[in-house]
Amino acid sequence: VTSYPDRDHCPSCGGDDVASTALAPAGSVTARTTVGALQIGEVRLDDGVLVLGRLDMDTPTAVGTRVRHCPDADVVRFVADA
Amino acid sequence: MRDVAIVGAGMTRFTKQAELGHEGLAVVAAREALADAGVAASEVGAAFAASMGGGPAIGQRALRHLGMGGIPIVNVENACASSSTALVEATAWIRAGMCDVALAFGVEIVSVQAGPLDVPDTGTGQWVFATGLNLPAWYALKASRHMAEHGLTREQLAAVAVKSRRLAVDNPLAHFRSPVTAEQVLDSVTIADPLTLFQCCPKTDGASAVVVCSADFASSRGLDPVWLRGLSLVSGQPVFSDRTNTEDATRRAARSAYEQAGIDPVDVDVAECHDAFTIGEVLATEALGFCPDGEGGAWIAAGATAPGGKGPVVNPSGGMLSRGHPIAASGLAQVVEVVTQLRGTSGPRQVPGARLGVVHTMGASEFELDANACVVQVLEQGRKR
């Protein structure tokens, strides 16, 4: 099982034989919404893992849009993948 | 396994009434259910109380006002499915022979909370809610996904709210009793795109209760009860890399409840399902088997689940969208509605000839689970099998 975020125990079996691994830095939006000024989306990374995060784009992001993770943000954020 | 009968049902009006307090609301519903059953408080062998915000030992605190003490009283919390779970427990006690008569109630006061409901500290899930996600947004993501995968439209979502409001006009216990048009639904303020204000349940206070008993007790009183033919409580299963299967809990619970009852979804006349947001009814209509997957929106918009439609009438009470959704009281309010329908005493909103009903309650969605809890019940009016 590969999941986000990393943790001390396997979320599938509870075992402690776990290791951190780098996830794909980019993916595609599979669902999105806007709450107030915030745009939030579900992103399927290119390695298959689903992550929720803010979509930092000025206009509503269409499902299917390619996005890239912002690694140093205070919360999980994605921007358009140029 | 012993048959279990529902012989009493009662609820308060669902509205803003925080001044009555949790205990006060619970007493009204419990007293009504007992009176409806013709059962004295002293005949109840065990009680099961559901509330999220009612504080410790709400069951003991509320029922002392009815002179009910000394019996086993169990307090239950399972998010929005709390009172449905209380009924599961009451049923289990009767089936096990631990009591002949049980009371289950749910009570909640929600109207005093400002803004979206608080998201509890869910440990590793906090990184999700730090993004700004709240409960409406959680459901909005489901709607967005359904739109992308199945072509669900905003107009179809609005049709759910229109049907809900139209049916609640005839429910004197509903929070909202005025009809709305699709245009009004779509033009109401956006809460979490594509969900607008009229597509979100109101903050409602209320209580609901039922009395259940063994077949022997019902027979000894000459009662003509509604029978619990199928009853399934499941919890969500972990989902890590594919959260798109979020209705799996409903499918599993429905499959089990239908199997116990020996029915198919096409046999169902009336259903109350979890519609805290319009997309919830779309997804439940599919997962309960009332229409093919992906067609819930079109199905509802075409009137298939409205009175006179080709499917079961879904949420004749107005559902959570219009009747209201006092969290831990909602599950048994759904049961009260279906029991009333099966008795044929629902007045202007009566589904003609209703004999078989389904109740579906979700216990919210949770990060990394496809649900907290889900209860599906099959109720039937008729003679003991």
Side-chain angles (χ1 to χ4, degrees):
Chain A
V1 172
T2 302
S3 70
Y4 179 89
D6 61 1
R7 62 198 85 199
D8 296 332
H9 295 87
C10 171
S12 179
C13 70
D16 57 6
D17 184 16
V18 295
S20 294
T21 184
L23 297 178
S28 299
V29 175
T30 57
R32 49 81 50 200
T33 185
T34 302
V35 181
L38 298 176
Q39 193 172 180
I40 302 168
E42 179 185 81
V43 176
R44 184 178 295 282
L45 300 175
D46 290 339
D47 53 15
V49 174
L50 274 173
V51 176
L52 284 165
R54 284 191 198 161
L55 305 176
D56 281 351
M57 281 156 269
D58 294 334
T59 57
T61 307
V63 170
T65 299
R66 293 285 302 169
V67 294
R68 177 168 294 277
H69 180 233
C70 301
D72 297 323
D74 54 339
V75 298
V76 180
R77 291 175 187 272
F78 293 90
V79 295
D81 190 18
Chain B
M1 194 179 298
R2 300 175 88 195
D3 285 327
V4 175
I6 300 175
V7 291
M11 61 181 283
T12 67
R13 184 177 176 201
F14 278 12
T15 186
K16 293 184 178 181
Q17 49 192 343
E19 70 280 3
L20 296 181
H22 287 88
E23 294 173 34
L25 288 166
V27 165
V28 171
R31 182 182 288 133
E32 186 175 321
L34 289 166
D36 182 52
V39 168
S42 60
E43 295 181 284
V44 175
F48 301 83
S51 187
M52 286 187 68
I58 181 63
Q60 289 85 341
R61 285 166 34 224
L63 295 179
R64 67 193 162 115
H65 299 295
L66 296 175
M68 294 176 68
I71 61 171
I73 297 177
V74 180
N75 293 288
V76 176
E77 187 279 303
N78 222 355
C80 302
S82 292
S83 60
S84 295
T85 304
L87 179 56
V88 171
E89 291 299 301
T91 301
W93 276 53
I94 290 172
R95 283 178 172 166
M98 295 172 70
C99 64
D100 272 332
V101 182
L103 170 73
F105 76 81
V107 60
E108 208 74 80
I109 291 175
V110 184
S111 66
V112 295
Q113 175 150 351
L117 291 180
D118 290 335
V119 175
D121 182 350
T122 53
T124 56
Q126 280 305 298
W127 70 270
V128 171
F129 299 106
T131 65
L133 192 82
N134 55 25
L135 287 174
W138 191 271
Y139 275 87
L141 289 173
K142 294 187 180 193
S144 171
R145 194 182 305 126
H146 204 291
M147 287 173 153
E149 294 179 356
H150 301 292
L152 176 73
T153 68
R154 293 172 188 270
E155 290 73 20
Q156 289 169 349
L157 284 171
V160 178
V162 171
K163 174 178 72 74
S164 164
R165 288 291 197 99
R166 186 173 70 245
L167 290 169
V169 167
D170 290 323
N171 183 355
L173 301 180
H175 192 143
F176 292 141
R177 300 193 61 205
S178 56
V180 294
T181 65
E183 291 72 25
Q184 288 174 307
V185 173
L186 293 170
D187 290 344
S188 61
V189 65
T190 297
I191 300 298
D193 181 41
L195 302 179
T196 59
L197 180 64
F198 288 0
Q199 298 184 57
C200 305
C201 62
K203 292 177 182 170
T204 304
D205 311 320
S208 53
V210 298
V211 176
V212 291
C213 68
S214 64
D216 288 345
F217 183 90
S219 177
S220 71
R221 292 297 182 90
L223 299 172
D224 182 23
V226 168
W227 297 97
L228 265 165
R229 299 298 192 205
L231 179 59
S232 179
L233 162 66
V234 304
S235 57
Q237 297 190 104
V239 281
F240 308 109
S241 59
D242 186 351
R243 270 198 303 279
T244 59
N245 191 20
T246 51
E247 307 319 306
D248 180 63
T250 296
R251 295 176 198 280
R252 285 184 286 117
R255 192 159 50 240
S256 173
Y258 294 167
E259 186 176 313
Q260 292 169 41
I263 67 158
D264 288 320
V266 295
D267 300 326
V268 177
D269 300 306
V270 61
E272 285 278 318
C273 76
H274 198 99
D275 63 333
F277 303 91
T278 49
I279 180 63
E281 183 168 322
V282 172
L283 296 170
T285 298
E286 297 172 7
L288 290 169
F290 298 150
C291 73
D293 283 350
E295 297 180 17
W299 190 262
I300 295 167
T305 55
K310 60 183 177 182
V313 177
V314 174
N315 290 327
S317 71
M320 296 171 181
L321 288 167
S322 299
R323 182 197 61 234
H325 183 24
I327 303 168
S330 286
L332 286 180
Q334 294 174 303
V335 174
V336 170
E337 174 65 18
V338 171
V339 166
T340 306
Q341 289 285 345
L342 298 181
R343 288 173 172 174
T345 57
S346 292
R349 68 180 190 285
Q350 177 65 45
V351 176
R355 301 288 294 177
L356 196 64
V358 163
V359 175
H360 162 255
T361 323
M362 293 294 293
S365 296
E366 184 55 86
F367 175 67
E368 291 184 340
L369 295 173
D370 58 22
N372 285 329
C374 178
V375 177
V376 174
Q377 306 164 45
V378 177
L379 309 183
E380 184 177 24
Q381 174 73 39
R383 298 178 61 84
K384 180 179 178 296
R385 286 178 176 173

